[in-house]
Amino acid sequence: SYEISLDTTTAITAGINEIIETLFIALALVVLVVFIFIQDWRATLIPVFAIPVSLVGAFILFPLLGFTINTLSLLGLVLAIGIVVDDAIVVVEAVQVKIQEGLNPKQATNAAMKEVTAPVIATTLVLIAVFIPVAAMGGITGMLYQQFAITIAVSVFFSSVNALTLSPALCSLLLRPQKPMKGPLGAFFRGFNRLFDRSSDGYMKVTTGFAG
């Protein structure tokens, strides 16, 4: 017979379960925030599709890099959820602006991608340049942060690939000229837009004053 005096797997399993729960909460919050700011369910779908594709892309490279699914890599995925939607949102907003100018979805997508392709690539390179050096740190600290940093860097890379390929294709298929919403949701969005415009104007005045 034997008796287990200390089972460390219990704490690790509990921690991973909590991180997975946090993963779904972060996903729900990102979807909510994107919908509030974009205010179009069709446009919201495009960043939502970008999240799982980027995360699955990170999982694909795990075996090649010798990584495993553990607490650090899952924490990296939690942080990556909020990062990987940025490029898709930029593409969606750029296409929406072109559609409001009178172009059809396909023309709007082509015109928008000519403007945002370079910025998407630039921001991706900047983010990767921030996280890759963390993975190169030596000692125990470097070993702890290696999977965390690489997970985010790989997710950001796949996010930019999505923004240059999948997101434009979805924009040309899904987006339509935006119509004002009615009812309680429309009233909420009108109030939110007024408050956001005032905040933006106030911020611009303050920054202009400092610049002057």
Side-chain angles (χ1 to χ4, degrees):
S1 63
Y2 67 92
E3 184 177 339
I4 299 175
S5 59
L6 176 63
D7 187 2
T8 56
T9 61
T10 304
I12 294 174
T13 302
I16 289 178
N17 289 336
E18 289 183 1
I19 291 175
I20 292 174
E21 180 182 345
T22 306
L23 202 64
F24 285 104
I25 293 174
L27 180 61
L29 288 175
V30 166
V31 172
L32 178 62
V33 171
V34 169
F35 179 68
I36 289 176
F37 278 89
I38 294 182
Q39 300 175 10
D40 184 0
W41 68 269
R42 288 176 177 270
T44 304
L45 289 176
I46 297 171
V48 170
F49 288 149
I51 295 173
V53 173
S54 299
L55 299 186
V56 169
F59 282 130
I60 290 174
L61 290 184
F62 273 20
L64 300 178
L65 298 173
F67 292 170
T68 58
I69 298 176
N70 52 40
T71 305
L72 289 174
S73 59
L74 289 175
L75 279 172
L77 291 178
V78 171
L79 181 58
I81 285 177
I83 298 176
V84 298
V85 296
D86 291 348
D87 294 336
I89 292 173
V90 169
V91 172
V92 169
E93 290 184 339
V95 175
Q96 279 187 319
V97 170
K98 297 298 181 182
I99 290 177
Q100 296 302 325
E101 292 177 356
L103 299 178
N104 63 49
K106 185 176 181 180
Q107 293 173 337
T109 302
N110 290 332
M113 291 309 298
K114 291 179 181 179
E115 297 179 358
V116 302
T117 297
V120 166
I121 295 174
T123 55
T124 300
L125 293 177
V126 170
L127 285 172
I128 292 177
V130 170
F131 290 109
I132 290 297
V134 176
M137 293 175 61
I140 297 176
T141 303
M143 294 178 64
L144 288 173
Y145 284 105
Q146 186 182 49
Q147 290 197 29
F148 179 81
I150 294 297
T151 298
I152 297 176
V154 171
S155 299
V156 169
F157 170 76
F158 279 105
S159 169
S160 66
V161 173
N162 286 339
L164 299 176
T165 56
L166 178 63
S167 295
L170 292 175
C171 286
S172 63
L173 293 174
L174 296 179
L175 292 187
R176 298 291 183 273
Q178 195 170 2
K179 298 179 181 179
M181 289 191 177
K182 300 179 182 180
L185 192 60
F188 168 77
F189 282 145
R190 286 192 293 272
F192 175 82
N193 290 336
R194 284 195 297 268
L195 179 61
F196 186 77
D197 291 339
R198 290 177 183 175
S199 301
S200 300
D201 292 340
Y203 176 78
M204 291 302 298
K205 290 178 182 178
V206 172
T207 53
T208 302
F210 280 115

